[in-house]
Amino acid sequence: VQSQWSKLNQSGKYGEPISEQEQQTFAKLLMDYERKSLAVTLRRAVVTSQVLSIAACNISTKIELMAQGHIANAEELVKKWEKCGYLISFEGLLSVQGKELGMVEDTVAAMSILQTFSMQIQPSENEIGI
């Protein structure tokens, strides 16, 4: 797209009218760019919602286990979370062949996205904890 735009841009100086064919070429390039941009945006939205769900579920499960007394040194662990952040690990049986490579790339992008979020944990005011 960039090389085609450069060719189109070299056809004249800024402000000069361009031909009908050049306008059509530009319109096609712009539509192609918009389609690709939309696909990336939608994929990023799906990955973001999935990784946020995973993180929230992981943290709430860990807190529930702490409340039930299944995790030793819970207070010390919470202080580490406050200081360093919460560590989430992912496991998968994916290769880097074919479509699975895209899944690995999505996971890497999800980790990057997740770093931009923070979570605030507050005590519940009712008995069921919601």
Side-chain angles (χ1 to χ4, degrees), residues 3-125:
S3 64
Q4 292 174 341
W5 169 250
S6 295
K7 289 177 187 173
L8 181 61
N9 195 25
Q10 291 170 2
S11 66
K13 295 179 182 175
Y14 291 108
E16 289 186 11
I18 59 174
S19 70
E20 182 70 30
Q21 182 182 4
E22 289 172 325
Q23 289 177 13
Q24 290 175 356
T25 301
F26 177 73
K28 287 178 186 177
L29 290 172
L30 186 59
M31 288 303 295
D32 185 47
Y33 172 80
E34 291 293 332
R35 266 192 295 278
K36 289 176 182 177
S37 180
L38 178 61
V40 169
T41 301
L42 290 174
R43 188 172 187 141
R44 187 174 174 93
V46 169
V47 167
T48 300
S49 68
Q50 290 173 342
V51 76
L52 285 174
S53 297
I54 291 167
C57 184
N58 187 290
I59 291 169
S60 66
T61 300
K62 184 77 77 160
I63 291 170
E64 184 65 29
L65 290 171
M66 291 171 143
Q68 293 174 359
H70 297 295
I71 296 177
N73 302 322
E75 287 183 31
E76 184 180 320
L77 185 58
V78 170
K79 288 178 184 176
K80 285 183 183 178
W81 291 351
E82 288 176 337
K83 183 179 178 183
C84 304
Y86 186 83
L87 177 65
I88 296 179
S89 62
F90 284 84
E91 257 179 66
L93 300 173
L94 298 172
S95 69
V96 292
Q97 302 296 319
K99 291 184 180 182
E100 290 184 350
L101 177 60
M103 292 179 204
V104 172
E105 292 169 345
D106 284 349
T107 302
V108 171
M111 296 299 95
S112 177
I113 291 167
L114 197 54
Q115 290 177 351
T116 66
F117 285 85
S118 63
M119 181 177 278
Q120 188 175 29
I121 301 169
Q122 298 177 344
S124 175
E125 295 179 8

